[in-house]
Amino acid sequence: MAPPEAGKPPTRRQLAAQETRQKLLRAALENFSRRPYGEVTVGDIARAAGVAHGLLSHHFKGKESLYAEAVREVDQRLRTATEFASEGPVVDRLRRHFTAHLVFLSEHEDIALNLVLRRAQAADVASAAFEATREEGVRAICALLGLDADDPALLLPVRGFGAACDEMSLLWLRNGRPVEIGALADAWITLLAGSIRAAYGFAPSPALREALHTLGWGAARATVDPMAEETPEGQDCR
């Protein structure tokens, strides 16, 4: 569907096409949030949307592309709900961000279990959407901590942190939320600090050392970190 020209109101045909597209997207979200990707058919979505079967391919080029669009729609809602606060201590801002993330998942449990946290079942196009979302989240956290997200030392540990948070969220929801949201958010901060400590082990740098101190990974960790090193300034970097 061609977008309306700038400064001109959309035509009736364009409005009808936009409405059909939104119906299909809503139907896709409803179906994919209730059942795994492989169990949902194009016919299921078309019937739920109340439109002809062929319109799904016309607007989204098939089920896989529609699934990717549903992923992007949910991710946009999640980003809006978990936007970082602009003020306050970094750890408090991280805690509020992680808490909001978990609140969103708990309030939209079907979407969380069958769409947000089902990355392993995604097809190629949807996988790209998932990875783009995770990459954006990693970059936002790195920016908050004053870190370069393109630092090779961060690649494995910080992306591993993101994958671990997804897995913990999935288990948390499936097992009846055995710990409080605040406790889980604090655990994620600890995991994040551990990931950055791993990056520091790969390639020590002042930026990583400063991020560790920001997260409270200081001298108190000495008794549990046999690999501890003293920084050039004589401060413990753990």
Side-chain angles (χ1 to χ4, degrees):
M1 178 188 69
E5 296 181 22
K8 292 185 177 181
T11 65
R12 288 185 179 180
R13 183 175 181 179
Q14 288 170 334
L15 287 172
Q18 290 173 4
E19 183 179 356
T20 297
R21 183 181 175 85
Q22 288 303 309
K23 284 181 179 179
L24 285 165
L25 183 55
R26 286 194 297 270
L29 284 169
E30 180 180 352
N31 275 273
F32 290 133
S33 67
R34 291 181 177 177
R35 291 178 290 161
Y37 175 84
E39 295 181 10
V40 177
T41 68
V42 170
D44 292 334
I45 297 170
R47 282 191 294 275
V51 303
H53 187 287
L55 286 176
L56 190 150
S57 296
H58 173 73
H59 286 282
F60 292 99
K61 299 181 180 179
K63 172 184 162 182
E64 185 177 335
S65 294
L66 179 53
Y67 183 75
E69 188 63 28
V71 169
R72 285 189 284 267
E73 172 68 20
V74 171
D75 285 341
Q76 181 57 53
R77 296 180 189 179
L78 183 56
R79 285 195 296 272
T80 299
T82 61
E83 186 174 355
F84 278 107
S86 58
E87 297 180 351
V90 169
V91 172
D92 288 347
R93 292 162 68 185
L94 278 169
R95 185 177 290 110
R96 291 198 295 271
H97 169 74
F98 291 152
T99 297
H101 184 96
L102 290 163
V103 167
F104 181 93
L105 296 184
S106 65
E107 291 180 349
H108 304 83
E109 187 167 328
D110 287 343
I111 288 176
L113 290 173
N114 290 305
L115 194 60
V116 177
L117 302 172
R118 288 273 186 174
R119 298 171 192 265
Q121 296 187 6
D124 290 344
V125 172
S127 292
F130 278 131
E131 289 308 313
T133 298
R134 183 175 286 172
E135 176 73 14
E136 183 176 335
V138 165
R139 288 185 175 278
I141 290 172
C142 286
L144 185 65
L145 291 168
L147 297 174
D148 178 5
D150 295 318
D151 181 352
L154 282 168
L155 179 63
L156 294 179
V158 177
R159 281 160 181 76
F161 160 76
C165 288
D166 281 351
E167 184 66 16
M168 289 178 73
S169 298
L170 187 60
L171 293 172
W172 179 69
L173 290 172
R174 282 178 173 172
N175 288 282
R177 308 173 200 177
V179 299
E180 294 182 354
I181 285 176
L184 188 51
D186 284 340
W188 285 5
I189 293 173
T190 301
L191 279 176
L192 176 61
S195 297
I196 295 172
R197 179 64 181 87
Y200 188 91
F202 293 149
S205 72
L208 289 170
R209 184 174 63 245
E210 182 61 30
L212 287 169
H213 280 288
T214 297
L215 292 171
W217 200 271
R221 300 289 179 177
T223 58
V224 296
D225 186 1
M227 301 299 292
E229 299 175 5
E230 293 296 317
T231 68
E233 294 81 5
Q235 293 178 313
D236 209 340
C237 72
R238 296 166 294 277

